[in-house]
Amino acid sequence: MMKHKIKFTVANAMLLILTTQAVHAETAQETITDVTTTEGQPAENTSNEARLTNSENPTMEQEASQEPEKTTETTQQTRSRLKRDVTNTIADYYKEQNYTGFTTQSGETYYYLEGTKLTSQWKYINSQYYYFNETGQKQTNTLIDGYVIDEDGIMARNRFVTINGNRFFADEDGKAVVINWKKIDGKWYSFKENGVLRQNEFYDYYYLKADGSMADNEWIFDKYYNSYFYIKPGGAYANREWKGSYYLKAGGYMAKSEFVYDDNYKATYYFEESGQYVGGKWIEVNGQKYHFQMDGVLETNKWIGNYYVKSDGAMARNEWFFDKNYGSYFYLGDDGKYIGGNRWYQVAGDWYYFIADGQMATLKWIDFYFVKEDGRMAKSEFVYDPTYKSSFYFDENGKYLNKTWKEIDGEWYYFKDGGYMAKNEWVGSYFVKGNGRMAKNEMQYDQSTASSYYFLEDGKTAKNQWKKVGDYWYYFKSNGKVARNEWIENKYYVLDNGKMATGTHIIDHYQYVFDGSGNILSKKAVDIGWVEKDGKRYFYNGAAQRLGDETTKKVMDVSEHQGLIKNWEGIIKDNGIDAVIVRIGYSGSEDKYLANNISELNRLGVPYGIYLYTYASTEKDGVADAEQTIALMKKYNIKPTYPIYFDLEDWRYTNGAKSAPTDTATWVKIWTAYRDTMAKAGYTNVRIYSYQYLLQNRLNTPEILKYVDWVAAYTPQLTYQLPYSQPSWGWQYTDKEFIPGLGNVDMSVWFGR
């Protein structure tokens, strides 16, 4: 292209120097086509187009001033005016030249058509669309009415364009795509309402990568969420699911450096910083140790070798643990291992003993020491051991006391050989009570000697002296025993209970009246026991009161304790016995002399009844007692005229292993079982025998009392009244009726027979 120098006047040259504007004309051989407005295509002005015949760029020479121009307000005004003049001059030049083409002025590009600058319109130039604004500037990197214009000012079609850092896609018509999704070259892209391409972000469940394409079957890292995500085939992100060794949480976040519970597997996992799950090893998290199976599942509530992991999976350390499978406590040390090896170990100031496999010992002797139910070694305390049925005392070092006295909380105790606490027994000249305390300043009954004693302040017994206990005086003999039923100094009388007699008492068939100090005021003979008057026999109680009339019966009861009775006929006649109640045995055992006793009474035609002493503690035992009774009655052809008695007493085995029921309800069940079983066998005359105290307490219920017609009470008078009327009933008034050839026997007075 050839250049032409254009000569200007001096004035025009000055204008060019001041504005320093260079004007370049593009090749004039460009083809210019009018563009009409159609749907989906930009619109432009439709003016007539002409070709430029000048093939060269118009140029202008500038003469540069050698000295800088000083700027004043006047020069500024002049410069502004001259600039406008230059512009007008250029426009005039292009008009004069009938110029068509692009030109650049002050960094902006314009287009002239036959000398006229295009403004506010689209123009189709060389097969491309361009847009020029109201001042004629070519638009670049922008949107015009939704059409995308690239950095060259060309309207884009079917391609991406970046504008001010945002990417747009122009469709085949040049318009920016503004729908949510569009598939381009086999990939999906998403666009906002303003046409901006979504990049590096989630949209719904999908992720748009740096290039805007939708992630598909791949891992991505999102800086905003600072997390990896896995995008499944189809584009949706993985959510609450696994991808290989990795886990995508709610929201799609890749788990890392954290525990995760998976509902599908019902298990907890831990993921390292890399995101991979931990498997087949121990790890430490926040100071706690955890163990995981090979498949990554967190181990819980189980032993891992010598270690135990709790319900939260954390290794137990410096703490107690109860294992239901072993039924035992274990203690896990600082390193997490259980304490074992048959050794003592101190925890929080207390000593515990752990056997070889780590189980905590309980209720167990360890040499001279004892571990309690809670596992602690007993120290400075009593412990009752049910195995040995004894209390023991352990000193401050945990050793049991042995063959020694010990004062504890102001009370003295004695511990025998082996550490057993003495109770209800003598230790030398001292007596220890049922609670193990040495008796002092009190009266105590000793069952072994069947006597009461008074123990002084020093624990020794009172001897040959009176002692007032409560409101009553007692006399203690040279052996320390309380005097009973005897005269003291031939002046004072002590009763069977040891109390000094005051008031009126019958002693040896005499009625005495004593004053408050025990002195005798009067004495007269009275009737006691069985007395004959006018050819008739009557019974008088210990208060010289006659009970019943001449029809009352004298009834004796016997058992193997009286031995083999060879002279039944003589005993009956010589002692005025009207009837006999024979013991057939006790629970599970037959009376040794039952056969002889029944045989003789049947032979002599003596009226008799029978009784079974029960050791029943359950309803089942009651049935067994009845079956035993029935079997013995059939065996010995027993046909009693007096009732069949079920003997209910507060029994206890000599070794203490078993005792009578303590609740009324159990007694009722036992009796009911016995009675009903007897009735089924045809025996209906079945009654209950018991003693006054038990009837007034443990047996005090209508289900039992209405069957009671034989009561034991070894008192001068029977104060107990049968609550239910009985046509025939007996009072066992003594267990010490002396019968020559038998010794002391139980004797009853019977009414109504």
Side-chain angles (χ1 to χ4, degrees):
M1 177 168 52
M2 297 184 62
K3 295 182 179 180
H4 299 273
K5 291 187 178 180
I6 303 174
K7 302 294 183 182
F8 292 92
T9 62
V10 175
N12 287 338
M14 288 299 294
L15 287 172
L16 289 173
I17 292 170
L18 292 172
T19 58
T20 63
Q21 301 295 319
V23 180
H24 303 277
E26 302 289 338
T27 304
Q29 301 302 319
E30 296 169 327
T31 301
I32 304 174
T33 306
D34 290 346
V35 180
T36 58
T37 303
T38 59
E39 187 176 353
Q41 182 171 314
E44 64 169 20
N45 295 332
T46 56
S47 61
N48 295 325
E49 298 179 356
R51 295 182 180 272
L52 293 175
T53 56
N54 190 351
S55 61
E56 299 180 5
N57 290 327
T59 59
M60 298 177 229
E61 285 186 349
Q62 265 186 356
E63 295 181 8
S65 175
Q66 297 300 313
E67 293 194 15
E69 180 182 7
K70 294 182 179 179
T71 303
T72 64
E73 183 177 354
T74 301
T75 57
Q76 289 178 348
Q77 294 173 353
T78 302
R79 186 175 291 173
S80 179
R81 178 179 57 79
L82 293 178
K83 186 175 181 179
R84 290 195 299 275
D85 290 343
V86 169
T87 300
N88 292 335
T89 299
I90 294 172
D92 290 342
Y93 170 76
Y94 283 141
K95 190 168 183 130
E96 288 174 4
Q97 296 296 317
N98 198 30
Y99 176 69
T100 296
F102 288 98
T103 183
T104 300
Q105 305 171 20
S106 301
E108 298 289 343
T109 300
Y110 302 85
Y111 190 82
Y112 282 83
L113 179 62
E114 296 179 352
T116 302
K117 181 170 54 176
L118 298 184
T119 60
S120 302
Q121 62 179 292
W122 289 95
K123 193 67 178 176
Y124 192 69
I125 305 169
N126 290 340
S127 302
Q128 302 291 345
Y129 284 102
Y130 299 85
Y131 187 81
F132 305 91
N133 67 10
E134 66 274 6
T135 60
Q137 297 170 344
K138 181 182 73 172
Q139 300 299 285
T140 61
N141 287 323
T142 189
L143 295 178
I144 302 296
D145 298 329
Y147 294 92
V148 182
I149 300 176
D150 65 13
E151 60 183 358
D152 297 322
I154 298 171
M155 184 185 77
R157 285 190 276 190
N158 291 321
R159 60 188 174 93
F160 285 100
V161 174
T162 300
I163 301 174
N164 296 327
N166 294 318
R167 295 192 77 196
F168 298 82
F169 185 81
D171 62 16
E172 60 185 10
D173 295 324
K175 281 240 178 182
V177 175
V178 294
I179 59 175
N180 281 341
W181 292 98
K182 183 172 180 63
K183 196 170 187 178
I184 303 170
D185 296 332
K187 297 181 180 180
W188 285 98
Y189 299 82
S190 179
F191 300 87
K192 301 177 184 178
E193 292 182 357
N194 60 1
V196 175
L197 176 70
R198 291 186 170 91
Q199 297 171 276
N200 296 315
E201 64 178 291
F202 278 99
Y203 181 64
D204 291 336
Y205 294 95
Y206 306 93
Y207 189 81
L208 292 312
K209 299 186 289 184
D211 64 355
S213 64
M214 182 187 77
D216 188 359
N217 194 24
E218 60 187 298
W219 286 97
I220 62 96
F221 183 82
D222 188 288
K223 292 183 179 180
Y224 178 80
Y225 293 108
N226 191 32
S227 176
Y228 281 96
F229 299 82
Y230 181 74
I231 310 302
K232 300 187 293 184
Y237 65 81
N239 181 57
R240 294 190 178 95
E241 58 189 282
W242 289 88
K243 176 60 178 176
S245 302
Y246 305 89
Y247 186 81
L248 292 311
K249 304 182 294 180
Y253 301 86
M254 184 184 77
K256 62 177 183 178
S257 301
E258 62 185 305
F259 289 96
V260 172
Y261 180 79
D262 186 350
D263 271 327
N264 292 322
Y265 291 103
K266 307 298 182 187
T268 300
Y269 302 80
Y270 187 82
F271 299 88
E272 297 180 297
E273 177 63 27
S274 66
Q276 289 188 310
Y277 72 78
V278 176
K281 65 178 181 179
W282 288 96
I283 66 164
E284 187 169 332
V285 181
N286 297 327
Q288 297 288 345
K289 290 187 176 180
Y290 302 84
H291 192 268
F292 300 85
Q293 300 176 11
M294 291 301 297
D295 61 0
V297 174
L298 174 67
E299 307 257 35
T300 61
N301 294 317
K302 67 184 296 186
W303 290 98
I304 312 292
N306 294 340
Y307 307 90
Y308 191 84
V309 289
K310 301 177 289 184
S311 59
D312 63 354
M315 176 197 291
R317 293 189 292 184
N318 295 319
E319 61 185 290
W320 289 99
F321 162 69
F322 183 79
D323 190 329
K324 293 181 180 178
N325 295 322
Y326 291 95
S328 175
Y329 280 95
F330 295 79
Y331 190 80
L332 295 309
D334 186 59
D335 60 357
K337 292 183 179 180
Y338 67 75
I339 307 300
N342 294 313
R343 65 184 177 114
W344 289 98
Y345 190 81
Q346 192 175 38
V347 181
D350 288 305
W351 286 97
Y352 300 83
Y353 190 82
F354 299 90
I355 60 180
D357 61 0
Q359 296 183 55
M360 181 190 76
T362 61
L363 297 173
K364 183 180 180 68
W365 287 92
I366 312 295
D367 297 325
F368 301 101
Y369 307 90
F370 188 82
V371 288
K372 300 179 291 182
E373 189 172 12
D374 62 4
R376 291 182 299 161
M377 182 177 73
K379 294 193 297 182
S380 301
E381 61 185 304
F382 283 101
V383 170
Y384 180 78
D385 187 341
T387 302
Y388 294 103
K389 296 179 174 57
S390 176
S391 292
F392 300 81
Y393 190 83
F394 300 87
D395 63 19
E396 63 277 6
N397 298 315
K399 294 184 72 173
Y400 71 80
L401 299 184
N402 189 55
K403 294 191 291 187
T404 185
W405 285 96
K406 175 72 173 177
E407 187 177 22
I408 304 168
D409 297 330
E411 300 287 348
W412 285 95
Y413 301 82
Y414 186 79
F415 300 92
K416 300 183 291 185
D417 188 19
Y420 297 87
M421 183 185 76
K423 61 179 182 178
N424 290 320
E425 60 187 288
W426 293 91
V427 181
S429 57
Y430 303 93
F431 186 80
V432 289
K433 300 178 290 182
N435 59 10
R437 297 175 181 175
M438 183 182 76
K440 54 183 182 178
N441 294 322
E442 61 187 307
M443 188 165 70
Q444 283 292 319
Y445 180 79
D446 175 26
Q447 194 167 6
S448 67
T449 60
S451 179
S452 294
Y453 300 80
Y454 190 87
F455 299 92
L456 304 171
E457 173 65 26
D458 60 1
K460 294 184 179 181
T461 57
K463 297 179 180 180
N464 299 315
Q465 59 180 296
W466 289 95
K467 292 294 293 184
K468 191 175 184 179
V469 182
D471 295 327
Y472 302 97
W473 285 94
Y474 300 83
Y475 187 82
F476 299 92
K477 300 186 289 185
S478 60
N479 59 4
K481 294 181 178 181
V482 67
R484 298 171 59 201
N485 294 318
E486 60 183 288
W487 292 96
I488 307 299
E489 303 170 356
N490 294 318
K491 182 178 180 182
Y492 305 96
Y493 190 82
V494 288
L495 304 173
D496 184 64
N497 57 14
K499 296 177 181 178
M500 183 183 72
T502 60
T504 301
H505 295 277
I506 295 176
I507 304 169
D508 298 330
H509 296 275
Y510 287 92
Q511 178 178 289
Y512 292 87
V513 179
F514 300 90
D515 65 14
S517 299
N519 299 303
I520 300 172
L521 298 177
S522 64
K523 174 184 176 183
K524 69 175 183 178
V526 293
D527 293 325
I528 299 293
W530 296 95
V531 179
E532 288 203 20
K533 291 184 178 183
D534 301 326
K536 298 178 181 179
R537 187 182 65 177
Y538 301 92
F539 178 78
Y540 294 82
N541 64 17
Q545 299 170 326
R546 194 182 83 177
L547 302 181
D549 54 25
E550 68 274 14
T551 64
T552 57
K553 301 294 190 296
K554 187 177 184 180
V555 181
M556 177 178 69
D557 59 275
V558 297
S559 70
E560 62 187 37
H561 297 295
Q562 280 73 48
L564 177 63
I565 303 174
K566 298 179 180 180
N567 184 25
W568 265 108
E569 185 174 2
I571 288 174
I572 297 296
K573 290 181 177 180
D574 294 343
N575 295 282
I577 306 299
D578 297 306
V580 181
I581 309 295
V582 181
R583 191 184 81 163
I584 63 173
Y586 56 86
S587 296
S589 294
E590 177 184 333
D591 190 276
K592 186 176 180 180
Y593 300 115
L594 172 63
N596 176 72
N597 292 334
I598 294 297
S599 176
E600 286 295 291
L601 293 173
N602 282 336
R603 181 180 68 83
L604 297 171
V606 177
Y608 66 89
I610 61 173
Y611 75 96
L612 178 79
Y613 187 102
T614 182
Y615 285 105
S617 60
T618 66
E619 188 174 2
K620 184 178 179 181
D621 294 340
V623 173
D625 282 346
E627 292 173 344
Q628 178 184 348
T629 302
I630 294 166
L632 291 175
M633 290 182 71
K634 290 180 178 180
K635 181 179 179 180
Y636 297 110
N637 192 28
I638 298 174
K639 297 178 180 179
T641 54
Y642 276 66
I644 300 166
Y645 285 99
F646 197 40
D647 187 355
L648 305 183
E649 300 191 32
D650 189 15
W651 55 267
R652 183 179 301 273
Y653 286 4
T654 54
N655 62 4
K658 197 174 181 183
S659 60
T662 58
D663 63 293
T664 303
T666 301
W667 278 113
V668 171
K669 291 178 180 178
I670 293 171
W671 160 245
T672 303
Y674 182 87
R675 183 197 69 211
D676 291 349
T677 305
M678 293 294 292
K680 288 179 182 178
Y683 300 101
T684 58
N685 191 20
V686 181
R687 314 298 289 176
I688 291 173
Y689 161 87
S690 192
Y691 53 89
Q692 178 177 301
Y693 178 80
L694 199 59
L695 292 170
Q696 291 174 325
N697 292 275
R698 213 175 300 174
L699 303 182
N700 191 9
T701 176
E703 288 98 331
I704 287 180
L705 296 181
K706 65 184 179 181
Y707 295 97
V708 175
D709 66 5
W710 188 19
V711 180
Y714 306 146
T715 56
Q717 297 172 279
L718 180 62
T719 58
Y720 180 76
Q721 300 295 318
L722 275 68
Y724 295 89
S725 176
Q726 303 289 356
S728 169
W729 65 279
W731 169 30
Q732 189 182 84
Y733 58 87
T734 184
D735 62 347
K736 293 181 176 62
E737 183 90 7
F738 183 76
I739 302 293
L742 293 183
N744 290 334
V745 299
D746 298 337
M747 196 66 72
S748 301
V749 57
W750 218 275
F751 307 95
R753 296 192 73 89

